[in-house]
Amino acid sequence: MYCFSCRLFLNEQKYSKSSWRVAGVSNWKKAREKIKEHAESEAHLTSMVRWNTFKKSALRSAFDVSDALGKAKRDREKQQNRELLTRLIDITLYLARQGKAFRGDDESDTSRNQGNFLELVKMFSQYDSVLKLHLENLKCQKIGKNRCQVSLLSNRTQNDLIKALATFTKREIRKEIEEATIYSVLIDETTDVSHCEQVSIVVRYVYQMEIKERFLQVCNVAKTTGEEMEKTVLDLLKNNNLQIENMRGQGYDGAANMSGQYKGLQSRILQHNNKALYVHCQAHCLNLVLVEAAKSSIHFITFFNLVQKLYVFLTSSTKRHTAFVKCQEALHPGERVIQLQKLSDTRWACREKALKALLKVISSVVKVLTDITQQEPPDTAAGDARMYLKAIDFEFLLCLEIASPVFEVTALASDALQNSDIDLSTAYAVVNGVKDTLSNLRTEQQFGKLFKSASEKAEAAGISIPIAPPGQQRQRRVPAKYSHSTHAAVESHSFQSLEDYYRVKVYYTFIDVLSQELERRFRGDGETQSNKILSALHSLTKPNKWIGKEIIGPDSLEAIHTLCEFYGGEEQKLKTELRVFYASFQDTSTVKDILKTLRDNNGQDIFPTLVKMITTYATIPVSTATVERSFSKLKLVKDTLRNLCSEERLSDLLLLAIEKDIPLNHSEVVNIYRDMAPRRLML
């Protein structure tokens, strides 16, 4: 017999004569005694200790090797899964930004169209090894009837990826707002394809000295009363960790539930924070100005009605539209065919395109109407064509000549007011530019050019020009009892020529109503607290008030006092910073220029009080155009075929479709997706 532990672990010289280690024991009669004696010996105990130590170290090293191999395998699998998710995130983001549907009617394996998401995955798998290997593994497991691994292609995964992307985007927006500290809200409502009232919320703030307007969320509300809208806004601010004390502006349209002085949303928000100044959307104000101008006289009311009827008549029938196109090609060979434009019921500034198109093709319109009336056998629309042809008289052409340049000016102003980064200082300059342009247009020379152009177009189209002003062909004697009335005095006024009549009754009236409405709607109603603060903020952007004078004027000092009292700050410090800033940087005429100069010259440290006031002024909203642009995306995302989209998913899809300029971090999105719920997949 030999001892296993002694043979292997007793290598010292003093144990070389041990029979249990070298020669072995063959005295079987005393085997039990010998075994007991050896088991209690020093040599055997030493070998057993060494054996146990060896076993522990070997086992530990074996586990270490196993752990290292397992960890490497897990890391490899985790990396593969994250690479796979990265590709699926890009596909999800592409579909969301384009406003496309994700799923198809039939997503089975035998379907020829499994929906945009699965079809894109299959297409990219032809060029990407990660997607290709994933699809092949899924296919092999289905063939072997094994339990499939996580496919990451289900509708639940798609919704989770959308949610993860939206969560990441919201986090980035919140980071910017937190850095900006102060913000404004812009809100408007619309009805979607499911006849649900949707309220869209946009946040405006200054981030790194640049004006930002970010879409935040869309909410479904049952009622749009001021009280219900207040509750919606407060809940939204709470859910997004926005403090109402940091709100500096509110931007809505002129609806009573939003702008009401007593029960409107703006008055209710002011009760929570009196620094949240309300500004009526400047683009809406301009549209209201045009609405009033279009009703300035019966001539323009008739004119716009006829413009719309001509569009409907020539475009509602394929036959008439084809004839209209052929007339253009015959009268203007080689030139691009121009289509008539529909008059927008809400966006009056967009009517400039309709008037410009009609002005270019009026001869073709007259020609096609004439052809329809002379057609043999008579067309069923010949009666309407004759009526429209008779309505296109000299007065119609003159109104077209008058309205086109005016609407061209207002369209440029409307486009400028709808920019997301425009500030109130620039908006005031744009409106003043429109006023100056209208003032320059209100001259006899300018009207003479328009009258001459209308006369030439009438002669070219074969339209007769009246000889005497309307109503003066035959003079009626006014009864004596009416001779002193104002109406009779106006009617008895005679004009020397046709040009004088239309200049006074049509042209001047149209221009004067425009100018008066611009003054009334953009000047503000009285010296309210809000107008006083906005006027004081606007004075900060006027360099001539702060430099070139030894003593600052009382108006400027009053503006400084008003701002420091309302927002907080030292009057003397703000006055000093203004003088030094405009003395050092004179090429700054707008808020954007001031912000850029402050950013480029580390102005936050040099002019802290000025930075506070200018960023506040830049934060106050100008128009709700950004909110209304979200409605355009709403029509793409929630259409007639996707009208069962949940409110949360709809809001996430809109956020991804609108905020496209926020850079994506795939690793963070994967981490958000991983933490949303327990995952069978290692990420």
Side-chain angles (χ1 to χ4, degrees), residues 575-595:
K575 182 175 67 174
T576 304
E577 290 180 5
L578 283 166
R579 294 182 71 99
V580 173
F581 176 79
Y582 283 115
S584 305
F585 311 101
Q586 299 180 3
D587 191 19
T588 51
S589 57
T590 65
V591 172
K592 290 178 64 175
D593 294 337
I594 297 174
L595 290 175

PDB file of all heavy atoms in Angstrom, residues 575-595:
ATOM      1  N   LYS A 575     -27.204 100.895 -16.078  1.00  0.00           N
ATOM      2  CA  LYS A 575     -26.905 102.087 -16.877  1.00  0.00           C
ATOM      3  C   LYS A 575     -25.436 102.098 -17.303  1.00  0.00           C
ATOM      4  O   LYS A 575     -25.115 102.386 -18.468  1.00  0.00           O
ATOM      5  CB  LYS A 575     -27.242 103.342 -16.068  1.00  0.00           C
ATOM      6  CG  LYS A 575     -27.016 104.633 -16.829  1.00  0.00           C
ATOM      7  CD  LYS A 575     -27.484 105.840 -16.028  1.00  0.00           C
ATOM      8  CE  LYS A 575     -26.620 106.051 -14.805  1.00  0.00           C
ATOM      9  NZ  LYS A 575     -26.978 107.318 -14.092  1.00  0.00           N
ATOM     10  N   THR A 576     -24.550 101.770 -16.381  1.00  0.00           N
ATOM     11  CA  THR A 576     -23.115 101.745 -16.698  1.00  0.00           C
ATOM     12  C   THR A 576     -22.801 100.673 -17.738  1.00  0.00           C
ATOM     13  O   THR A 576     -22.036 100.910 -18.690  1.00  0.00           O
ATOM     14  CB  THR A 576     -22.304 101.503 -15.419  1.00  0.00           C
ATOM     15  OG1 THR A 576     -22.630 102.498 -14.442  1.00  0.00           O
ATOM     16  CG2 THR A 576     -20.817 101.540 -15.714  1.00  0.00           C
ATOM     17  N   GLU A 577     -23.381  99.495 -17.575  1.00  0.00           N
ATOM     18  CA  GLU A 577     -23.125  98.408 -18.532  1.00  0.00           C
ATOM     19  C   GLU A 577     -23.625  98.768 -19.930  1.00  0.00           C
ATOM     20  O   GLU A 577     -22.969  98.447 -20.927  1.00  0.00           O
ATOM     21  CB  GLU A 577     -23.802  97.125 -18.040  1.00  0.00           C
ATOM     22  CG  GLU A 577     -23.141  96.524 -16.818  1.00  0.00           C
ATOM     23  CD  GLU A 577     -23.825  95.250 -16.357  1.00  0.00           C
ATOM     24  OE1 GLU A 577     -24.764  94.798 -17.053  1.00  0.00           O
ATOM     25  OE2 GLU A 577     -23.443  94.705 -15.303  1.00  0.00           O
ATOM     26  N   LEU A 578     -24.769  99.438 -20.028  1.00  0.00           N
ATOM     27  CA  LEU A 578     -25.292  99.848 -21.328  1.00  0.00           C
ATOM     28  C   LEU A 578     -24.362 100.845 -22.011  1.00  0.00           C
ATOM     29  O   LEU A 578     -24.081 100.731 -23.211  1.00  0.00           O
ATOM     30  CB  LEU A 578     -26.685 100.444 -21.163  1.00  0.00           C
ATOM     31  CG  LEU A 578     -27.824  99.450 -20.956  1.00  0.00           C
ATOM     32  CD1 LEU A 578     -29.079 100.161 -20.473  1.00  0.00           C
ATOM     33  CD2 LEU A 578     -28.112  98.690 -22.236  1.00  0.00           C
ATOM     34  N   ARG A 579     -23.880 101.814 -21.271  1.00  0.00           N
ATOM     35  CA  ARG A 579     -22.982 102.828 -21.859  1.00  0.00           C
ATOM     36  C   ARG A 579     -21.679 102.192 -22.320  1.00  0.00           C
ATOM     37  O   ARG A 579     -21.188 102.471 -23.425  1.00  0.00           O
ATOM     38  CB  ARG A 579     -22.706 103.936 -20.838  1.00  0.00           C
ATOM     39  CG  ARG A 579     -23.931 104.772 -20.479  1.00  0.00           C
ATOM     40  CD  ARG A 579     -23.545 105.864 -19.492  1.00  0.00           C
ATOM     41  NE  ARG A 579     -22.747 106.891 -20.132  1.00  0.00           N
ATOM     42  CZ  ARG A 579     -23.236 108.057 -20.569  1.00  0.00           C
ATOM     43  NH1 ARG A 579     -24.509 108.333 -20.411  1.00  0.00           N
ATOM     44  NH2 ARG A 579     -22.444 108.951 -21.133  1.00  0.00           N
ATOM     45  N   VAL A 580     -21.117 101.317 -21.492  1.00  0.00           N
ATOM     46  CA  VAL A 580     -19.847 100.678 -21.856  1.00  0.00           C
ATOM     47  C   VAL A 580     -20.040  99.726 -23.034  1.00  0.00           C
ATOM     48  O   VAL A 580     -19.215  99.678 -23.961  1.00  0.00           O
ATOM     49  CB  VAL A 580     -19.259  99.938 -20.638  1.00  0.00           C
ATOM     50  CG1 VAL A 580     -18.032  99.132 -21.048  1.00  0.00           C
ATOM     51  CG2 VAL A 580     -18.913 100.912 -19.540  1.00  0.00           C
ATOM     52  N   PHE A 581     -21.139  98.971 -23.026  1.00  0.00           N
ATOM     53  CA  PHE A 581     -21.363  97.990 -24.096  1.00  0.00           C
ATOM     54  C   PHE A 581     -21.513  98.676 -25.448  1.00  0.00           C
ATOM     55  O   PHE A 581     -20.852  98.298 -26.427  1.00  0.00           O
ATOM     56  CB  PHE A 581     -22.619  97.171 -23.785  1.00  0.00           C
ATOM     57  CG  PHE A 581     -22.993  96.201 -24.875  1.00  0.00           C
ATOM     58  CD1 PHE A 581     -22.324  94.991 -24.999  1.00  0.00           C
ATOM     59  CD2 PHE A 581     -23.990  96.497 -25.784  1.00  0.00           C
ATOM     60  CE1 PHE A 581     -22.649  94.103 -26.013  1.00  0.00           C
ATOM     61  CE2 PHE A 581     -24.331  95.616 -26.793  1.00  0.00           C
ATOM     62  CZ  PHE A 581     -23.657  94.416 -26.905  1.00  0.00           C
ATOM     63  N   TYR A 582     -22.367  99.689 -25.539  1.00  0.00           N
ATOM     64  CA  TYR A 582     -22.584 100.337 -26.834  1.00  0.00           C
ATOM     65  C   TYR A 582     -21.407 101.203 -27.247  1.00  0.00           C
ATOM     66  O   TYR A 582     -21.210 101.452 -28.445  1.00  0.00           O
ATOM     67  CB  TYR A 582     -23.866 101.165 -26.788  1.00  0.00           C
ATOM     68  CG  TYR A 582     -25.111 100.316 -26.889  1.00  0.00           C
ATOM     69  CD1 TYR A 582     -26.003 100.238 -25.835  1.00  0.00           C
ATOM     70  CD2 TYR A 582     -25.377  99.573 -28.034  1.00  0.00           C
ATOM     71  CE1 TYR A 582     -27.141  99.449 -25.912  1.00  0.00           C
ATOM     72  CE2 TYR A 582     -26.509  98.778 -28.124  1.00  0.00           C
ATOM     73  CZ  TYR A 582     -27.388  98.729 -27.058  1.00  0.00           C
ATOM     74  OH  TYR A 582     -28.497  97.936 -27.153  1.00  0.00           O
ATOM     75  N   ALA A 583     -20.620 101.663 -26.278  1.00  0.00           N
ATOM     76  CA  ALA A 583     -19.401 102.384 -26.633  1.00  0.00           C
ATOM     77  C   ALA A 583     -18.337 101.440 -27.176  1.00  0.00           C
ATOM     78  O   ALA A 583     -17.511 101.825 -28.021  1.00  0.00           O
ATOM     79  CB  ALA A 583     -18.864 103.135 -25.412  1.00  0.00           C
ATOM     80  N   SER A 584     -18.351 100.184 -26.715  1.00  0.00           N
ATOM     81  CA  SER A 584     -17.350  99.206 -27.148  1.00  0.00           C
ATOM     82  C   SER A 584     -17.770  98.463 -28.409  1.00  0.00           C
ATOM     83  O   SER A 584     -16.940  98.160 -29.269  1.00  0.00           O
ATOM     84  CB  SER A 584     -17.088  98.202 -26.016  1.00  0.00           C
ATOM     85  OG  SER A 584     -16.710  98.853 -24.828  1.00  0.00           O
ATOM     86  N   PHE A 585     -19.064  98.161 -28.527  1.00  0.00           N
ATOM     87  CA  PHE A 585     -19.570  97.391 -29.663  1.00  0.00           C
ATOM     88  C   PHE A 585     -20.729  98.166 -30.294  1.00  0.00           C
ATOM     89  O   PHE A 585     -21.870  98.061 -29.850  1.00  0.00           O
ATOM     90  CB  PHE A 585     -20.043  96.007 -29.204  1.00  0.00           C
ATOM     91  CG  PHE A 585     -19.062  95.278 -28.339  1.00  0.00           C
ATOM     92  CD1 PHE A 585     -19.226  95.238 -26.959  1.00  0.00           C
ATOM     93  CD2 PHE A 585     -17.948  94.672 -28.886  1.00  0.00           C
ATOM     94  CE1 PHE A 585     -18.326  94.577 -26.151  1.00  0.00           C
ATOM     95  CE2 PHE A 585     -17.040  94.001 -28.081  1.00  0.00           C
ATOM     96  CZ  PHE A 585     -17.222  93.959 -26.711  1.00  0.00           C
ATOM     97  N   GLN A 586     -20.419  98.953 -31.304  1.00  0.00           N
ATOM     98  CA  GLN A 586     -21.419  99.843 -31.884  1.00  0.00           C
ATOM     99  C   GLN A 586     -22.240  99.177 -32.990  1.00  0.00           C
ATOM    100  O   GLN A 586     -23.322  99.652 -33.317  1.00  0.00           O
ATOM    101  CB  GLN A 586     -20.734 101.100 -32.430  1.00  0.00           C
ATOM    102  CG  GLN A 586     -20.014 101.893 -31.352  1.00  0.00           C
ATOM    103  CD  GLN A 586     -19.342 103.129 -31.893  1.00  0.00           C
ATOM    104  OE1 GLN A 586     -19.445 103.444 -33.068  1.00  0.00           O
ATOM    105  NE2 GLN A 586     -18.640 103.856 -31.025  1.00  0.00           N
ATOM    106  N   ASP A 587     -21.731  98.120 -33.572  1.00  0.00           N
ATOM    107  CA  ASP A 587     -22.440  97.464 -34.681  1.00  0.00           C
ATOM    108  C   ASP A 587     -23.414  96.421 -34.142  1.00  0.00           C
ATOM    109  O   ASP A 587     -23.330  95.232 -34.449  1.00  0.00           O
ATOM    110  CB  ASP A 587     -21.434  96.817 -35.637  1.00  0.00           C
ATOM    111  CG  ASP A 587     -22.096  96.356 -36.926  1.00  0.00           C
ATOM    112  OD1 ASP A 587     -23.210  96.840 -37.224  1.00  0.00           O
ATOM    113  OD2 ASP A 587     -21.513  95.504 -37.623  1.00  0.00           O
ATOM    114  N   THR A 588     -24.326  96.854 -33.296  1.00  0.00           N
ATOM    115  CA  THR A 588     -25.335  95.957 -32.716  1.00  0.00           C
ATOM    116  C   THR A 588     -26.674  96.670 -32.752  1.00  0.00           C
ATOM    117  O   THR A 588     -26.917  97.585 -31.962  1.00  0.00           O
ATOM    118  CB  THR A 588     -24.974  95.592 -31.266  1.00  0.00           C
ATOM    119  OG1 THR A 588     -24.716  96.798 -30.538  1.00  0.00           O
ATOM    120  CG2 THR A 588     -23.751  94.695 -31.206  1.00  0.00           C
ATOM    121  N   SER A 589     -27.539  96.258 -33.669  1.00  0.00           N
ATOM    122  CA  SER A 589     -28.821  96.940 -33.840  1.00  0.00           C
ATOM    123  C   SER A 589     -30.014  96.070 -33.494  1.00  0.00           C
ATOM    124  O   SER A 589     -31.120  96.583 -33.322  1.00  0.00           O
ATOM    125  CB  SER A 589     -28.963  97.426 -35.290  1.00  0.00           C
ATOM    126  OG  SER A 589     -28.845  96.330 -36.195  1.00  0.00           O
ATOM    127  N   THR A 590     -29.830  94.778 -33.406  1.00  0.00           N
ATOM    128  CA  THR A 590     -30.933  93.876 -33.080  1.00  0.00           C
ATOM    129  C   THR A 590     -30.559  93.027 -31.870  1.00  0.00           C
ATOM    130  O   THR A 590     -29.394  92.971 -31.459  1.00  0.00           O
ATOM    131  CB  THR A 590     -31.266  92.954 -34.271  1.00  0.00           C
ATOM    132  OG1 THR A 590     -30.143  92.090 -34.534  1.00  0.00           O
ATOM    133  CG2 THR A 590     -31.588  93.753 -35.522  1.00  0.00           C
ATOM    134  N   VAL A 591     -31.569  92.360 -31.316  1.00  0.00           N
ATOM    135  CA  VAL A 591     -31.329  91.492 -30.162  1.00  0.00           C
ATOM    136  C   VAL A 591     -30.389  90.350 -30.531  1.00  0.00           C
ATOM    137  O   VAL A 591     -29.515  89.968 -29.742  1.00  0.00           O
ATOM    138  CB  VAL A 591     -32.670  90.959 -29.622  1.00  0.00           C
ATOM    139  CG1 VAL A 591     -32.437  89.910 -28.541  1.00  0.00           C
ATOM    140  CG2 VAL A 591     -33.506  92.091 -29.058  1.00  0.00           C
ATOM    141  N   LYS A 592     -30.558  89.787 -31.739  1.00  0.00           N
ATOM    142  CA  LYS A 592     -29.672  88.698 -32.172  1.00  0.00           C
ATOM    143  C   LYS A 592     -28.232  89.175 -32.258  1.00  0.00           C
ATOM    144  O   LYS A 592     -27.301  88.439 -31.890  1.00  0.00           O
ATOM    145  CB  LYS A 592     -30.146  88.156 -33.517  1.00  0.00           C
ATOM    146  CG  LYS A 592     -31.449  87.384 -33.446  1.00  0.00           C
ATOM    147  CD  LYS A 592     -31.907  86.910 -34.804  1.00  0.00           C
ATOM    148  CE  LYS A 592     -30.961  85.921 -35.414  1.00  0.00           C
ATOM    149  NZ  LYS A 592     -31.459  85.373 -36.688  1.00  0.00           N
ATOM    150  N   ASP A 593     -28.019  90.399 -32.750  1.00  0.00           N
ATOM    151  CA  ASP A 593     -26.658  90.943 -32.813  1.00  0.00           C
ATOM    152  C   ASP A 593     -26.075  91.127 -31.414  1.00  0.00           C
ATOM    153  O   ASP A 593     -24.897  90.837 -31.168  1.00  0.00           O
ATOM    154  CB  ASP A 593     -26.662  92.280 -33.556  1.00  0.00           C
ATOM    155  CG  ASP A 593     -27.027  92.133 -35.018  1.00  0.00           C
ATOM    156  OD1 ASP A 593     -26.858  91.019 -35.555  1.00  0.00           O
ATOM    157  OD2 ASP A 593     -27.501  93.117 -35.617  1.00  0.00           O
ATOM    158  N   ILE A 594     -26.906  91.622 -30.496  1.00  0.00           N
ATOM    159  CA  ILE A 594     -26.425  91.824 -29.125  1.00  0.00           C
ATOM    160  C   ILE A 594     -26.063  90.490 -28.477  1.00  0.00           C
ATOM    161  O   ILE A 594     -25.017  90.365 -27.823  1.00  0.00           O
ATOM    162  CB  ILE A 594     -27.498  92.560 -28.300  1.00  0.00           C
ATOM    163  CG1 ILE A 594     -27.747  93.951 -28.874  1.00  0.00           C
ATOM    164  CG2 ILE A 594     -27.078  92.657 -26.837  1.00  0.00           C
ATOM    165  CD1 ILE A 594     -28.886  94.696 -28.216  1.00  0.00           C
ATOM    166  N   LEU A 595     -26.908  89.479 -28.663  1.00  0.00           N
ATOM    167  CA  LEU A 595     -26.623  88.159 -28.086  1.00  0.00           C
ATOM    168  C   LEU A 595     -25.343  87.573 -28.666  1.00  0.00           C
ATOM    169  O   LEU A 595     -24.529  86.995 -27.943  1.00  0.00           O
ATOM    170  CB  LEU A 595     -27.799  87.222 -28.345  1.00  0.00           C
ATOM    171  CG  LEU A 595     -29.099  87.518 -27.578  1.00  0.00           C
ATOM    172  CD1 LEU A 595     -30.205  86.585 -28.043  1.00  0.00           C
ATOM    173  CD2 LEU A 595     -28.891  87.366 -26.078  1.00  0.00           C
TER     174      LEU A 595
END
